[in-house]
Amino acid sequence: MPVHTVTTIHGARASRLHVTGRKPLIPLGRWAGIEVGADGTWLIVFALVTATLSRQFTSGDSGLGMHRDWALGLATSLLFFLSIVLHEFGHSLVAIRLGVPVRSITLFIFGGVALLGGEPRRPRDELLIASAGPVVSLALALGYGALAHAIAFATPVEEALVWLSRVNFSLFAFNLIPGFPLDGGRVLRAALWAWKGDFDKATGVAAGVGTLVAFAFMTLGVVIALADGQFWNGLWLAALGWFLLTAARGSLAQTMVSKLMGSVMVRDAMTADYAALPPSISLRDVVERYIMRQGQRSFLVTQDGNLLGVISVREIRAVPQEDWSTTSVQGAMVRRSAIEPLAPQTTLLEALAAMDEAGLNILPVESDEHLVGALSRDQVFAVIRTQREFRV
Ligand SMILES: [Zn+2]
């Protein structure tokens, strides 16, 4: 199997569609403050790579030698996936330095994904974040190459080092193909963005090239699959093309949504007479009377018109169900002092970022320190959905 055709993608858009919502099946811990994990599909590719490598770097011995082959295969396979994680770390550490938060790094069947919490603000930042990954892969290729050269004996270990050097070089080269969402596509977007000053148009062109690249992979994959003995290699390439196609399309859709969210203000999406709960009502009453019957999932908590806090399904579910009758809203809510209210002229994009930041599903809207309404996450999505249906 051609493990050299492995992608690594990063970004808030492309990756959000593929990774979030699925918790990584295999958590690999926090490295330098970033959550690293592997998707369930990664196990398949890990097993295949390990098995292939164990047969490739064989010493020809039986008995003890076979164990050695497997150990070398396993070590090389682990170093290969470590290389992918390091590539993602290249993107991530530069992103963090430039003020773009990084949520996670996930290994999956086609490589690795770094999930960023936002988009770069300037073309220069995009260029630096996008090139950092390939730079790491190139450095690893040179490093493994130098090690192999230093050993200079035709042993299985040297063969493994040469392989690691080559595979890192392939990672470097493959990811520089200028189709979005590959790194090369992001470099292209950064260049177009700097040149024309239009982020959306630059994304459109880069994603267009990405779509062409994806179709080329799928076509080539089918042709290779029909050749003698190349069925799995061809299928792999075609599947990779399909993945890139959905990622490119997803990025475009996400760009459109972000643009919409950046053009709608909180005052046009909020509810002025938002249903508010009294502080003394029990959680069981909230669940039975409001959530189950009316479908509302987040609430302000007020007394005599004064805001005391907010509560949503998330806070209620944090309380064990058997305590719902004896716990009041006041006892489970997020207090006013811990909340930064929204201003009416804030955009929905900023409002959603503020909710993410605060870990809340609803925020009060205040004008001149007066409560004028509330905006929930559900409302933001409903507004975006409606806008898309009528504008597109
Ligand atoms: Zn990359």
Side-chain angles (χ1 to χ4, degrees):
M1 68 172 289
V3 286
H4 51 276
T5 44
V6 160
T7 60
T8 63
I9 64 172
H10 69 275
R13 292 170 176 158
S15 31
R16 190 168 280 179
L17 289 157
H18 298 281
V19 177
T20 46
R22 278 195 270 161
K23 269 209 172 299
L25 192 70
I26 310 141
L28 300 172
R30 281 181 91 82
W31 305 14
I34 302 168
E35 203 78 51
V36 180
D39 190 286
T41 59
W42 172 73
L43 284 178
I44 303 168
V45 76
F46 177 65
L48 276 170
V49 170
T50 308
T52 311
L53 291 178
S54 305
R55 250 173 293 146
Q56 194 170 327
F57 307 134
T58 174
S59 47
D61 291 358
S62 51
L64 252 186
M66 210 176 73
H67 292 288
R68 236 188 358 241
D69 294 347
W70 274 98
L72 182 62
L74 182 67
T76 312
S77 180
L78 287 172
L79 286 172
F80 166 57
F81 289 106
L82 180 67
S83 302
I84 296 178
V85 172
L86 290 176
H87 174 113
E88 298 308 334
F89 257 95
H91 294 305
S92 304
L93 294 181
V94 173
I96 291 170
R97 259 199 103 88
L98 294 171
V100 179
V102 177
R103 307 230 183 277
S104 62
I105 290 176
T106 309
L107 288 169
F108 75 122
I109 192 160
F110 293 123
V113 182
L115 182 63
L116 308 191
E119 286 292 343
R121 282 183 284 266
R122 294 176 297 169
R124 193 189 69 106
D125 294 1
E126 166 94 309
L127 179 69
L128 290 175
I129 297 171
S131 2
V135 166
V136 169
S137 294
L138 185 61
L140 286 169
L142 294 175
Y144 281 123
L147 269 179
H149 191 76
I151 290 182
F153 292 114
T155 58
V157 173
E158 194 231 355
E159 262 182 74
L161 289 169
V162 168
W163 184 85
L164 281 168
S165 171
R166 282 198 189 137
V167 87
N168 271 292
F169 188 81
S170 308
L171 260 173
F172 160 75
F174 180 83
N175 282 285
L176 283 182
I177 293 174
F180 197 79
L182 293 175
D183 296 331
R186 287 178 185 273
V187 170
L188 175 66
R189 175 167 81 168
L192 293 171
W193 185 11
W195 183 30
K196 298 277 187 191
D198 188 330
F199 178 82
D200 296 327
K201 272 217 182 98
T203 306
V205 173
V209 178
T211 307
L212 283 180
V213 169
F215 274 115
F217 282 158
M218 288 191 282
T219 313
L220 194 64
V222 171
V223 172
I224 292 176
L226 296 176
D228 255 359
Q230 295 291 317
F231 180 74
W232 291 109
N233 286 349
L235 192 69
W236 178 265
L237 200 59
L240 182 61
W242 174 80
F243 166 75
L244 288 176
L245 182 68
T246 48
R249 291 203 170 148
S251 305
L252 265 185
Q254 199 67 36
T255 305
M256 208 169 62
V257 168
S258 296
K259 198 177 166 190
L260 270 177
M261 292 210 294
S263 64
V264 180
M265 305 275 177
V266 165
R267 64 164 169 266
D268 299 321
M270 69 176 198
T271 313
D273 52 348
Y274 206 86
L277 301 172
S280 53
I281 184 174
S282 77
L283 295 185
R284 181 157 303 284
D285 280 349
V286 177
V287 172
E288 283 172 5
R289 276 200 240 160
Y290 298 93
I291 297 176
M292 301 296 246
R293 284 206 206 137
Q294 296 170 10
Q296 191 172 335
R297 294 165 59 83
S298 44
F299 307 85
L300 299 181
V301 183
T302 61
Q303 191 162 39
D304 306 326
N306 292 320
L307 181 70
L308 298 181
V310 299
I311 192 162
S312 70
V313 171
R314 191 190 295 182
E315 285 77 46
I316 295 174
R317 282 177 57 172
V319 176
Q321 203 162 336
E322 58 269 23
D323 298 336
W324 283 359
S325 307
T326 52
T327 307
S328 68
V329 161
Q330 188 153 29
M333 70 182 186
V334 179
R335 291 176 189 283
R336 168 69 185 84
S337 53
I339 300 166
E340 188 69 49
L342 296 169
Q345 67 275 16
T346 310
T347 67
L348 292 191
L349 197 61
E350 292 164 322
L352 208 57
M355 286 180 202
D356 281 340
E357 187 86 6
L360 292 172
N361 289 324
I362 181 172
L363 281 174
V365 184
E366 284 190 358
S367 178
D368 297 329
E369 304 204 347
H370 281 93
L371 183 65
V372 292
L375 183 73
S376 70
R377 201 180 284 269
D378 295 341
Q379 272 174 293
V380 174
F381 292 131
V383 167
I384 295 308
R385 203 162 44 237
T386 315
Q387 293 250 352
R388 278 190 76 180
E389 276 166 9
F390 288 96
R391 276 199 198 171
V392 179

